[in-house]
Amino acid sequence: MEIKGENSGILAGKTIAVKDNVFIAGTPLTNGSKIWEGYTPEFDATVVTRILQAGGTILGKSTCENQCCSGNSFTSASGSVPNPHDITRSAGGSSSGSAVLVATGEVDMAIGGDQGGSIRMPSCWSGCVGLKATFGLVPVTGSLGCEPSFDHLGPMASNVTDVAKLLEVIAGYDDGRDHRQNPHVVIPKYSQLLTGDLTGVKFGYVKEGSGRASDGVKSVMSHVITKLRESGAVVEEVSIPLHAQRGPISMAMLAAIYESMIKNYGQPPGFNEMYNVSALRHFKQAMQVRAHDMPPSIKAYTMFGEFIRRKDGSQIVARAMNCRPTLRKAYNDVLEKYDALIMPTIPIAAVKLPPLDLTPKEFIREIQSKNVNTAPFNLTGHPALSLNVGKVKPEDVSILSYY
């Protein structure tokens, strides 16, 4: 597969992979799941159209985790995605294929999706740059998500400049087809803002984001802080207690995923936006005949969501939603004093890929717990960048021992 864009533009000469939850007209989509076998979108996602208009060449779709619901890289119906630096280890998820294709040089750039860290986690473990932009900046029109209030699409590349160029192209208002967007936002030339000068820039090193990190990760972060200070930046430790306490909010939001993904077939009604009618039809029909093909994680979210609904209606989800502004304010209060916050993307090095004969309980444990430093910013809408700053020797301990 190769789709050439316009002859000129900011992406001319660049090759791009597109995560397989994003629509390319006439190209089968799987979303990493058997549920989507046989579905072919009839129109391009907005980000795809913009890439081609900017001169980019799309080389193909990239593997993603099953229903985009895993921070590991073993759940896709097409098989595991190994880490490019050690094939016995995880590449991170759920944009696993996008990260590996960039890290290995198969493509220059990639589109990823991010509902709890799914751009940033594979960027961290595979070794590339990945950005979850500010909520609503990049339209999600023509893609499959988990829940509209924290779905994101974003750029991935081997360097910051290419991430900035791709963001320039895909960001911006989508003529009302994505209800979450601000029509008045002006998109700057991001790539021209990269001066490389850190003199006087103030970074807050979040204590709660590193307290349980492995020794190797702490060592790399200490080296990074030293380098930032040597470059003229100010780095100070800050405390944001709510950062380590957002777990219950995320757990309650699993019930919201159930309402969005399962009960409403992936796109809840009532929003003033473009609906993917053929995708809704396919998913409804597939769920009637092959719901057993859903991964254990989605089955667990479904049972949990239905339990919550029967017990309390929408109250628990509503309370979780009402906590999100408080969490957002906790970060904003610190950002009044600092230009950016820093912490490890994932507090440990890449873990071993698990065996294939996992019990449902083991399966769910393997896909969770990696997003402690990434998921909060899906809840708050802040932009978040994963920037590879070095390698850490794996210590072969379960991430569950940290949390």
Side-chain angles (χ1 to χ4, degrees):
M1 172 183 174
E2 182 176 313
I3 306 174
K4 290 185 177 293
E6 300 292 336
N7 293 328
S8 61
I10 191 174
L11 298 184
K14 297 292 186 180
T15 55
I16 298 100
V18 177
K19 185 177 180 178
D20 199 20
N21 70 323
V22 178
F23 293 8
I24 297 179
T27 300
L29 176 146
T30 72
N31 202 26
S33 174
K34 292 181 179 180
I35 289 288
W36 288 95
E37 286 181 353
Y39 177 64
T40 300
E42 68 274 21
F43 66 94
D44 287 339
T46 298
V47 294
V48 169
T49 300
R50 290 176 175 178
I51 286 169
L52 296 175
Q53 290 174 341
T57 298
I58 295 175
L59 292 188
K61 305 295 286 292
S62 57
T63 298
C64 68
E65 298 307 298
N66 203 316
Q67 294 291 130
C68 296
C69 284
S70 172
N72 214 316
S73 64
F74 69 93
T75 71
S76 176
S78 62
S80 298
V81 178
N83 189 292
H85 307 284
D86 181 346
I87 62 173
T88 69
R89 298 186 179 275
S90 172
S94 65
S95 306
S96 44
S98 290
V100 171
L101 289 170
V102 168
T104 57
E106 295 292 323
V107 295
D108 299 313
M109 305 169 171
I111 293 295
D114 197 309
Q115 289 82 24
S118 290
I119 287 174
R120 293 158 286 157
M121 293 188 293
S123 295
C124 171
W125 276 358
S126 296
C128 62
V129 183
L131 174 68
K132 182 202 80 67
T134 305
F135 178 72
L137 184 67
V138 177
V140 298
T141 313
S143 67
L144 301 177
C146 292
E147 202 280 329
S149 72
F150 50 78
D151 287 335
H152 297 73
L153 296 178
M156 304 168 73
S158 62
N159 58 79
V160 173
T161 300
D162 278 352
V163 164
K165 287 181 178 180
L166 186 51
L167 181 62
E168 280 181 40
V169 169
I170 63 176
Y173 188 58
D174 193 21
D175 297 325
R177 301 200 302 169
D178 182 341
H179 74 276
R180 310 158 330 139
Q181 291 195 286
N182 181 345
H184 305 296
V185 170
V186 177
I187 306 302
K189 301 292 185 182
Y190 293 111
S191 59
Q192 296 178 15
L193 301 177
L194 302 173
T195 65
D197 184 7
L198 292 178
T199 304
V201 176
K202 296 186 68 176
F203 292 97
Y205 183 51
V206 181
K207 175 183 177 182
E208 290 78 8
S210 304
R212 295 182 178 180
S214 70
D215 290 341
V217 170
K218 287 180 179 178
S219 176
V220 169
M221 292 304 297
S222 177
H223 178 71
V224 168
I225 290 171
T226 298
K227 287 294 184 181
L228 288 172
R229 287 170 173 162
E230 290 175 351
S231 300
V234 175
V235 184
E236 298 173 343
E237 185 176 83
V238 299
S239 179
I240 308 176
L242 283 180
H243 178 78
Q245 299 170 15
R246 60 87 207 170
I249 303 176
S250 294
M251 284 300 296
M253 291 305 295
L254 292 179
I257 291 177
Y258 160 67
E259 290 288 336
S260 174
M261 183 185 293
I262 305 301
K263 290 193 69 178
N264 292 293
Y265 306 110
Q267 199 170 13
F271 294 112
N272 184 18
E273 65 179 16
M274 181 176 179
Y275 279 80
N276 308 322
V277 177
S278 65
L280 293 169
R281 182 188 309 115
H282 175 93
F283 193 63
K284 179 179 184 295
Q285 294 171 347
M287 286 297 288
Q288 290 174 339
V289 298
R290 58 188 309 176
H292 58 277
D293 281 330
M294 278 291 189
S297 52
I298 301 299
K299 293 175 182 176
Y301 299 164
T302 298
M303 290 188 288
F304 177 70
E306 184 64 16
F307 170 77
I308 293 296
R309 187 188 68 81
R310 293 186 184 187
K311 185 176 186 297
D312 290 306
S314 299
Q315 293 179 60
I316 291 180
V317 174
R319 289 171 182 167
M321 293 292 283
N322 287 345
C323 288
R324 292 170 74 171
T326 303
L327 182 63
R328 185 179 303 116
K329 184 178 184 301
Y331 295 116
N332 285 344
D333 286 347
V334 178
L335 288 168
E336 288 289 329
K337 303 174 185 178
Y338 296 91
D339 297 297
L341 306 176
I342 57 175
M343 66 191 81
T345 305
I346 305 176
I348 66 170
V351 297
K352 288 277 190 181
L353 286 167
L356 298 179
D357 57 345
L358 296 173
T359 65
K361 183 177 180 180
E362 291 169 336
F363 183 102
I364 293 169
R365 283 184 172 180
E366 286 289 343
I367 69 169
Q368 293 181 333
S369 302
K370 299 165 183 65
N371 63 356
V372 291
N373 284 345
T374 56
F377 304 107
N378 292 82
L379 295 172
T380 66
H382 288 95
L385 176 78
S386 182
L387 179 65
N388 192 265
V389 295
K391 292 185 177 181
V392 176
K393 183 178 180 181
E395 296 170 271
D396 288 329
V397 294
S398 170
I399 194 166
L400 295 173
S401 66
Y402 285 89
Y403 306 102

